Amino acid sequence: MERLSELRAARGAGITAEEEAELNAAEEEERQKRGKVSDPARVEYLIRDAMAQGKFDNLKYAGKPIPGLGTNYDPDWWVKGLIQREHLTGVGPKAILLRTEDAELDARLDTQYSEKQVRDLVEDFNARVIDARRQLQGGPPVITQTRDPGVEVQRWRERRAAAAATSAAEGPSEPQPRKSWWQRLWTGGS
């Protein structure tokens, strides 16, 4: 093997025909040796070599179950994994996007200041749900329900009243006036 590497290095520097023949014979002998080793034995050797070099140390799932193993087959597993791993938003089938938006809709409604804004937001959501039901582009079915704007406005009012009641029950939290530096020095730092 060492002689083979020496001859390869000498090949670039210009070698004689005799040395070229010796190099070719050595390469052919090496190919025959490699051909005699079976693939499983080669794989086993490579794995043991990698273990000896420490390439398998500190792997992410060492000693832990591989996530997603043993569950039912999902043809879109990689897309869902990518969306979850990369924290992508606004990407994916409309049915899944509408489900996540439906789960977060109450929080969005609570940030609105008027009933008209709440109604507009609910009506926009309902229009997108109906539009997604009409689309026949494949993917998961749209199971998200539309929301009644009147009911949502009433729930918004109730949540606002509850939040106002809890803030009033806590009482006004006026900060104590800060003492000047000489007052703190005079009273001992408190």
Side-chain angles (χ1 to χ4, degrees):
M1 192 67 150
E2 293 172 13
R3 177 74 178 137
L4 183 63
S5 61
E6 289 173 8
L7 291 173
R8 283 187 183 146
R11 179 182 271 178
I15 57 174
T16 64
E18 183 180 296
E19 291 173 334
E20 181 75 29
E22 186 181 343
L23 177 64
N24 289 338
E27 286 179 346
E28 183 60 35
E29 183 182 332
E30 184 67 27
R31 267 191 234 107
Q32 288 177 356
K33 282 183 185 177
R34 286 186 187 157
K36 290 179 184 175
V37 178
S38 65
D39 287 338
R42 186 177 302 130
V43 168
E44 184 69 27
Y45 169 76
L46 291 173
I47 290 173
R48 285 186 185 174
D49 186 42
M51 287 172 66
Q53 293 176 10
K55 291 184 178 178
F56 294 128
D57 296 343
N58 301 326
L59 291 177
K60 185 175 182 181
Y61 294 110
K64 299 176 187 172
I66 298 173
L69 210 62
T71 58
N72 293 336
Y73 176 71
D74 182 14
D76 297 327
W77 64 270
W78 63 275
V79 174
K80 292 176 184 173
L82 177 70
I83 290 171
Q84 184 180 18
R85 230 181 8 260
E86 302 295 328
H87 304 291
L88 299 176
T89 57
V91 178
K94 284 187 178 182
I96 293 173
L97 294 175
L98 286 171
R99 286 183 209 167
T100 56
E101 186 179 348
D102 185 38
E104 299 166 355
L105 189 60
D106 287 340
R108 273 186 70 198
L109 293 176
D110 289 344
T111 62
Q112 303 305 311
Y113 297 107
S114 69
E115 291 181 14
K116 182 178 180 344
Q117 290 175 329
V118 172
R119 279 189 195 281
D120 291 344
L121 200 61
V122 171
E123 288 171 0
D124 178 56
F125 174 75
N126 288 342
R128 284 186 281 116
V129 168
I130 292 169
D131 184 51
R133 287 181 185 163
R134 290 180 184 153
Q135 301 287 328
L136 298 175
Q137 297 176 353
V142 179
I143 60 171
T144 306
Q145 298 294 320
T146 56
R147 294 190 179 198
D148 182 18
V151 172
E152 292 303 318
V153 166
Q154 182 61 33
R155 290 179 60 219
W156 172 77
R157 281 187 202 137
E158 291 169 1
R159 287 192 303 268
R160 278 181 75 99
T166 57
S167 66
E170 292 173 359
S173 58
E174 296 180 22
Q176 295 293 328
R178 186 174 168 128
K179 296 180 180 179
S180 65
W181 65 271
W182 62 270
Q183 287 175 331
R184 287 191 307 256
L185 182 65
W186 184 263
T187 59
S190 57

